[in-house]
C-alpha cells in the first residue's frame, strides 16, 4: 500500500480508539462552550491576534462579546497559516456546521448565531463528548477546590500544586490553605498535616494525579524540617523561597508515594515573560534545562510514577533517555509550545523508537472547553498515523494491526494503567 | 497531484515572486563579482577547503589569483557533498554557461576565462539582478560609511553597530566615531549625541534598519548614564566592557524607537574561536543561549520591531514561541550554520505552523557578491516549496494558490511592510 | 525511479561496502556470543526490561541463565516497539534461523537451544564476521591491557583513558598503572613517563586510537606541571580532581600528537545517574554542553585528529559547524542515546550537507558481541540510503553511483585514512 493510503487507513482506525484525556483545564461545572466567545477566548487566539498586531484594548471586557469575536476574527488572515487557526476551522466544521473553506471576519455573525443556537441545547456537553470519543477528562483543580457538584468519574480530579510550592509566602494562599484544611501552617509539621489533609480530600473524591508546572531553573532537593520551618517564617528572601519550594515539593512527592498518586511534572515554563501580553499569553520558556535537575527526585521515589511534560523540544531526547532508563519516568504528551506538528513528529518518532510502549502517555488536550479535544487530538492522531505508517509499517517493523495496538496503548491503555482509572 | 509534482509546481510559482534581500554584505560600489576568485573567495569555500586539508598558505596573497582558484577547486572533491559546492555549481551553470555535471580542478582555466569574459560586461550587475529577480538589496554599513556614490534605493543602507557596542574601547573606533560625527565622546551624554548623529545621517540616506550580531552570553540590560559614563572612562575591565556594551546597545534601541527603525538582532556568534582559521572562517557558536536573555529588551521597547536571527537551530523553538507571543519579535531567515536544508526544513516548518505569516522574514542571502542570491534563495525556495506541499497543501490546510500567497509574504510582502521599503 | 525503490537500490549497494568498525567493546578473546544470554545480557535489553517493570532480582546471578533469558523475553511485549527489539529480531533471523515474525517468552527454549547449538561451532566467529562484512574491529582496551593472545590486525587495540583522567586518585588505578608501566607515579614528571610507556606499549601492539568518554561539564585546559604535581598529592578535593583531570587529559593529547594517534572524544555522559539501575544501565546525559568547551584543545593541537561523538543530539549542529571549520575536528558515529533513527536521520543529513565527506566517520557499533554489528549497521545503512536517496539523488545533487561513493567514504575509506589502518 502507498504511504499516504497507509497513513489514512491507520488514521481511520486510530480514530476508533476511545480517549481518556489526562490533562485539561476543563471547568466541570461549565465543561462545554456556550458561545463562540468562549471558543475564541482561548489564549491561543487572543495571543496570536495580539502578536499579529491587534491592540489589547480590542479585548476589553467593556466591549460586547460579539465585537470581541469580530476583532479576533478580523486578524485571522494574519495567522491563518497556524495550526491554531485550523483547530478553529475544524471546530466550526465539526460542531457548528460551517461549510466554508476559510473563516474571516465576515463570518462573525453567522458563526456567533450558530454557536448560540447549538451550544444552548441541553445535550450539547454529552454530544461533544460523544463526537470526540471522550470517555474521561482529567481536571486541574486548585488545592482548595471542594470537588463537589460534578461527576468525578467523568471529570477526574487532579491536585494542582503550583501555588503550594511557589506562592506559600502569600497571605491569600495561606488563608486558602487554612480554610481548606482547618490547619494553620506555621512550620514543617503543620504543613505536613495540611498537605496530608489535601491529599486525603482529593483521593476521597477520586483524584488520580498530583500535578505541577515548574520553571526551567527548578532543581528539587530534600530539605530538613528545621530548614523548611525557617523558610516558612522568612518569606521574603530568595533563599527562603528556594528552600520553601524545595521543601514543599519534596513533601508532595512523599504524599504521592503514600497515596499512590502519579506526580505529573510539567517542566520548563517561565511565567510573565511578556508582561503586557494578553491573559494567559505572557509565559515563555528557556531551553537551558536538563532532567539531571530531577535525578535525585527520580532516585529518591522509585515507587512514584512521574509523567513528564517538557516545554522545550530540545529536552525531548533527554526525556526519551530518562524514560528508557528510569522505571518511574514516563513521557507525557506534547506541551504548549512543543505542541506543533513539526515538534510532535520528531519527538513522537524518537519516543516510539526508544521508550517502552507501556511508558508513553501519547497526548492530552490541555483544553479549557471540551470542543478543543477533537481538533487537537486529530492533529496528534494525524502525526501519529503518519509516523507509524512511514517508520514502522512501511519498514516492516509493525503490521498495521500492531501499529494500531501501539496507538491504543498511547491514547488509552497507558492512561488507564498509569492513573488507575 | 503527487507530492513531488506538487512541490515542483509550487517551486515554479515561488520563483516568480520578486525578492527584496533584507541582509547582505554587498559592497554597493562593487556589487557583482569580477572574477572567479571573487566567487571562490567567499569564506564558505576557503574554510571548507582548509577544513578538508588545504594549507592556508595556498590562499596567500602572493599567489596568483588563478592559482588560488585552482587550489580551492583542487580540494572540492573532498566537499562536493555540501550545499556550498552546489551553490557554486549552480552559479557556474546559471551565470557562466558551464555545462558539465561536476566541477573539478581541471575546470579552473575554462571557468576563470569564462568569468573574466562575462563579468566584465557593462550590464553584468543588472543582468545578475534581473536573472535573480532581485528588486532591492539591503547592505551592512559600518557606522562611518558616507553612504554616497550608489543608488540607495536599489542598495538599501543598514546601520551595523557591532563596533559601537563591543569595540568602543578601541582608539580607532573612537576616532572613526569622532570623524563621522564631529563629536568627541567622553560620557553618556556625548555618546548619545554621537549616536543620534549617526542615525540622522543613516536615515537621511534611506537606511531601513539597524543591525548587530551578538555573542551567546549577551543579555542586554539598561544602564544608568552615570554607570555608562564611568564605563567609557575605564575601558580595561571586563565589568566596564559589559556595562559599556549594555549601555550602548540600550541606547541604540532607544534610537531605533525614535527613528522608527527595526533592530535586526543576529544572536549567538562566538568570534575567533578557531584562531588559525582562514579569513572569516574562525567564528563558531554555543548552543547554550536563550531568548529569555532578551525579554527585558522586548518588554522595554514595544514599538521597536526586532527581526531575530538565531545561529543555533536549537534556539528556533524559542524563536517560534517568542514571535508567537511578543508583537515586536519576528523570525528572520536562516543564518550561517543554520543555513543548511536539514535545519531550514525543520525550522521553517515550525515557524509556518506557529507564527503569524505576517511576522516571518523568510530568507536573506548574507552574500558578499550578487551572484550568490540565486543559488542560496533557490536552496531556500526548494525547501519552502516542499514544506508547503507536504505539510500544507497535501493536508488540505492551504490551497496551492494560498500556499504561494504565504511564500509571497515570506519572501516579499513582509520585508516591504516591516522595513517600510 | 520512485523514492522507495531508489532507497532500496542504494541500500543494496551500500550493503556491499566492507566495514571497519571503529569503536566497539568486543573482548577479542571472546568476540562472539556463546549463548542467548550473552546477547540479551547487552544492557539495552536488561535496562529496557527493567524500565518497563522487570524487577532487578530477575537478573540475579543466582538465577539460571535460561531463566534470565526467559525473564527478559517475558517483558519484551512492553518494548517491542523499540529499535533494540528489532536488532534482536534481526539477530534471531540472521544468525539463529528464527522464522517467526515476532519473539515472545514462548520462544525462549527454542532460541536458547538454537543459540547453544550454532554458537558453539568452531567457525562461528568468522562466520559472523563474514556475514557482517566486517574487515576489522576496533577495541576499547583498558590502559593495563597486555594486548596479547589475539590478532591485533583483526581486532585493533585502542587505548581507553577514562580511568587515567578521572580515577587517578584511586589506589587500585595507581597500582594498575604502576604494574603496567613499572613506574611509580608521584608527580607530573613520573606521570608523563608512565603515560609515554602506555603509548609505546599500545602503539607497539598496533593501537590506532586513544579514546575517552567525558562528562558534560568537562572543559579541558592546560595545567602547569607544578599544579598537576600538587593535584596528584591531594586527591581529596574537587579542585584537585579538576586540575588532575585537566592535566592528565592535556598530557594524553600531547602524547596523541607525539605518537600520531587520533583522540576519540565521546562527549556528554553523566555516570551513575540512576543509581539502582541495572549493570551499565545507570548513565544518562545533560544537553547543556557546548563544543566551545573544547575550543582551546582544538586550537592547541592542530595536528591531532579529534573524532567527536556527541551524546546529545542537540549538540550535533555545533559538531557540524566545528567540523566544517576546524581541520582537526571530525564527526564520529551516532552514540548511544543519539543512536535512534529519529536522531540519526536529522544528524546525518546535516553532516552530509555541511561537512566535507572526508571528515565523517559514519558509524560504529559500540557492540560487546560481534552479532550486533549487523543489525546496528543495518539500521544505520537504511537511514543512510534513505537520506542519500531523498536529499541527494532525487534532487539531482548526486548520481546513484556518487551517492554510493559518499557512503563508502563514511563506512570505510575515512576510517582507513583517519586511523591509518
Amino acid at each position: 500500500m502507498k504511504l499516504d493510503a497507509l497513513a489514512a487507513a491507520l488514521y481511520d482506525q486510530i480514530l476508533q480508539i476511545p480517549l481518556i484525556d489526562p490533562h485539561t483545564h476543563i471547568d466541570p461545572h461549565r465543561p462545554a462552550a456556550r458561545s463562540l466567545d468562549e471558543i475564541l477566548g482561548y489564549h491561543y487566539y487572543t495571543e496570536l491576534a495580539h502578536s499579529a498586531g491587534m491592540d489589547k484594548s480590542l479585548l476589553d471586557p467593556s466591549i460586547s462579546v460579539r465585537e470581541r469575536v469580530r476583532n479576533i476574527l478580523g486578524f485571522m488572515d494574519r495567522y491563518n497559516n497556524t495550526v491554531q487557526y485550523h483547530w478553529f476551522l475544524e471546530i466550526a466544521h465539526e460542531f457548528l456546521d460551517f461549510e466554508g473553506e476559510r473563516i474571516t471576519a465576515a463570518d462573525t455573525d453567522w458563526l456567533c448565531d450558530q454557536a448560540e443556537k447549538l451550544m444552548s441545547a441541553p445535550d450539547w456537553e454529552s454530544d461533544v463528548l460523544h463526537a470526540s470519543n471522550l470517555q474521561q477528562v482529567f481536571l486541574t483543580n486548585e488545592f482548595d477546590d471542594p470537588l463537589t457538584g460534578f461527576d468525578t468519574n467523568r471529570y477526574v480530579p487532579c491536585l494542582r500544586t503550583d501555588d503550594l510550592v511557589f506562592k506559600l509566602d502569600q497571605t491569600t494562599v495561606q488563608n486558602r490553605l487554612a480554610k481548606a484544611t482547618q490547619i494553620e501552617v506555621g512550620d514543617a509539621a503543620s504543613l505536613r498535616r495540611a498537605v496530608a489533609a489535601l491529599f486525603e480530600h482529593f483521593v476521597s473524591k477520586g483524584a488520580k494525579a498530583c500535578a505541577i508546572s515548574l520553571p526551567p531553573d527548578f532543581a528539587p532537593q530534600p530539605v530538613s524540617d528545621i530548614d523548611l520551618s525557617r523558610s516558612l517564617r522568612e518569606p521574603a528572601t530568595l533563599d527562603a523561597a528556594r528552600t520553601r519550594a524545595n521543601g514543599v515539593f519534596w513533601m508532595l512527592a512523599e504524599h504521592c508515594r503514600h497515596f499512590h498518586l502519579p506526580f505529573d511534572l510539567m517542566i520548563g515554563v517561565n511565567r510573565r515573560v511578556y508582561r503586557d501580553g494578553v491573559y494567559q499569553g505572557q509565559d515563555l520558556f528557556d531551553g537551558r534545562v536538563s532532567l539531571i535537575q530531577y535525578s535525585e527526585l527520580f532516585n529518591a521515589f522509585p515507587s512514584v510514577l512521574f509523567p513528564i511534560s517538557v516545554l522545550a523540544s530540545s529536552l525531548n531526547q533527554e526525556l526519551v533517555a530518562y524514560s528508557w532508563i528510569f522505571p518511574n519516568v514516563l513521557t507525557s504528551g506534547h506541551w504548549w509550545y512543543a505542541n506543533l506538528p513539526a515538534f510532535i513528529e520528531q519527538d513522537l518518532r524518537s519516543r516510539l523508537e526508544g521508550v517502552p510502549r507501556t511508558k508513553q502517555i501519547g497526548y492530552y488536550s490541555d483544553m479549557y472547553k471540551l470542543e478543543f479535544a477533537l481538533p487537537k487530538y486529530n492533529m496528534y492522531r494525524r502525526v501519529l498515523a503518519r509516523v507509524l505508517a512511514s517508520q514502522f509499517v512501511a519498514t516492516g517493523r509493525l503490521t498495521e494491526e500492531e501499529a494500531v495496538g501501539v496507538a491504543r496503548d498511547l491514547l488509552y491503555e497507558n492512561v488507564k494503567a498509569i492513573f488507575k482509572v
Side-chain angles (χ1 to χ4, degrees), chain A:
Chain A
M1 203 186 319
K2 299 284 302 295
L3 194 57
D4 287 344
L6 179 58
L10 282 175
Y11 180 71
D12 285 343
Q13 293 174 77
I14 291 170
L15 282 178
Q16 308 306 314
I17 300 167
L19 301 178
I20 302 172
D21 189 339
H23 175 64
T24 78
H25 295 270
I26 290 293
D27 173 357
H29 307 291
R30 296 188 59 156
R34 300 189 188 173
S35 70
L36 204 65
D37 185 53
E38 290 193 349
I39 297 290
L40 288 176
Y42 198 12
H43 63 82
Y44 286 98
Y45 302 99
T46 54
E47 72 202 14
L48 278 168
H50 176 54
S51 167
M54 186 189 71
D55 197 277
K56 274 202 311 178
S57 64
L58 297 187
L59 298 174
D60 197 87
S62 67
I63 291 175
S64 80
V65 163
R66 187 157 295 201
E67 289 316 301
R68 278 216 302 274
V69 168
R70 201 184 312 278
N71 290 337
I72 295 169
L73 287 177
F75 282 84
M76 218 163 234
D77 61 338
R78 301 191 187 186
Y79 60 90
N80 59 13
N81 55 299
T82 63
V83 292
Q84 292 85 357
Y85 167 78
H86 283 88
W87 300 342
F88 180 63
L89 189 61
E90 203 160 348
I91 287 173
H93 284 152
E94 291 292 325
F95 293 120
L96 302 178
D97 304 330
F98 181 73
E99 297 191 340
E101 291 292 316
R102 300 291 176 258
I103 294 177
T104 68
D107 300 305
T108 304
D109 289 317
W110 189 92
L111 286 168
C112 286
D113 291 345
Q114 190 78 348
E116 277 162 36
K117 187 176 72 183
L118 294 170
M119 290 170 170
S120 59
D123 291 336
W124 183 251
E125 173 189 346
S126 54
D127 286 352
V128 172
L129 287 168
H130 182 76
S132 308
N133 211 358
L134 271 172
Q135 283 191 355
Q136 290 181 289
V137 174
F138 282 45
L139 306 178
T140 294
N141 303 98
E142 292 300 327
F143 66 80
D144 53 344
D145 191 318
L147 306 175
T148 52
F150 63 91
D151 175 358
T152 58
N153 184 46
R154 177 180 282 184
Y155 295 111
V156 181
C158 296
L159 173 57
R160 182 70 175 240
T161 56
D162 300 46
D163 285 356
L164 291 173
V165 171
F166 296 110
K167 297 186 179 172
L168 202 48
D169 58 317
Q170 299 183 3
T171 311
T172 52
V173 176
Q174 294 163 5
N175 291 345
R176 286 168 50 206
L177 183 56
K179 189 170 167 203
T181 63
Q182 307 302 320
I183 295 167
E184 291 287 338
V185 169
D187 57 10
S190 52
L191 179 62
R192 187 168 287 114
R193 289 198 303 277
V195 167
L198 296 178
F199 272 76
E200 274 159 23
H201 167 59
F202 268 74
V203 169
S204 76
K205 297 290 188 183
K208 296 300 182 188
C210 180
I212 190 168
S213 74
L214 299 157
D217 63 352
F218 191 64
Q221 298 295 333
V223 167
S224 73
D225 270 17
I226 291 173
D227 287 343
L228 178 55
S229 293
R230 189 183 302 120
S231 79
L232 291 168
R233 289 192 304 267
E234 297 169 7
T237 70
L238 267 178
D239 222 44
R242 193 178 306 116
T243 301
R244 198 167 49 240
N246 278 329
V248 179
F249 181 87
W250 211 262
M251 191 181 282
L252 291 171
E254 289 165 351
H255 285 80
C256 285
R257 179 175 59 196
H258 181 75
F259 287 91
H260 306 292
L261 285 190
F263 197 173
D264 285 326
L265 306 185
M266 311 184 79
I267 295 175
V269 61
N270 281 317
R271 300 290 180 187
R272 301 207 65 233
V273 173
Y274 174 33
R275 292 189 296 272
D276 270 341
V278 299
Y279 176 64
Q280 293 178 326
Q282 309 182 341
D283 306 337
L284 281 154
F285 69 102
D286 178 341
R288 297 170 303 178
V289 54
S290 171
L291 292 184
I292 198 84
Q293 300 166 216
Y294 294 85
S295 59
E296 284 311 307
L297 180 78
F298 300 152
N299 275 293
F301 296 95
S303 68
V304 176
L305 295 180
F306 294 100
I308 308 284
S309 298
V310 295
L311 200 43
S313 182
S314 56
L315 196 54
N316 177 69
Q317 193 202 356
E318 285 195 31
L319 179 56
V320 167
Y322 279 70
S323 302
W324 141 5
I325 294 297
F326 276 100
N328 55 336
V329 176
L330 312 171
T331 65
S332 180
H334 301 272
W335 187 31
W336 203 343
Y337 297 116
N339 185 32
L340 296 177
F343 302 119
I344 296 172
E345 184 170 314
Q346 175 72 1
D347 296 350
L348 170 61
R349 180 180 170 190
S350 57
R351 294 177 192 179
L352 285 174
E353 291 173 345
V355 179
R357 59 193 285 175
T358 52
K359 299 186 67 191
Q360 303 184 45
I361 297 170
Y363 198 68
Y364 51 76
S365 73
D366 220 355
M367 64 184 168
Y368 287 76
K369 291 294 171 187
L370 290 180
E371 289 79 0
F372 279 97
L374 187 141
K376 292 181 107 176
Y377 269 95
N378 277 352
M379 177 181 76
Y380 172 75
R381 286 183 285 221
R382 283 185 201 107
V383 178
L384 177 60
R386 178 148 296 268
V387 169
L388 286 170
S390 61
Q391 305 301 329
F392 289 82
V393 181
T395 59
R397 293 177 51 200
L398 294 175
T399 64
E400 251 189 87
E401 191 185 340
E402 289 170 336
V404 175
V406 169
R408 187 177 176 90
D409 280 357
L410 269 59
L411 287 167
Y412 186 70
E413 301 294 346
N414 294 346
V415 177
K416 279 183 71 171
I418 290 163
F419 296 104
K420 306 199 194 76
V421 288

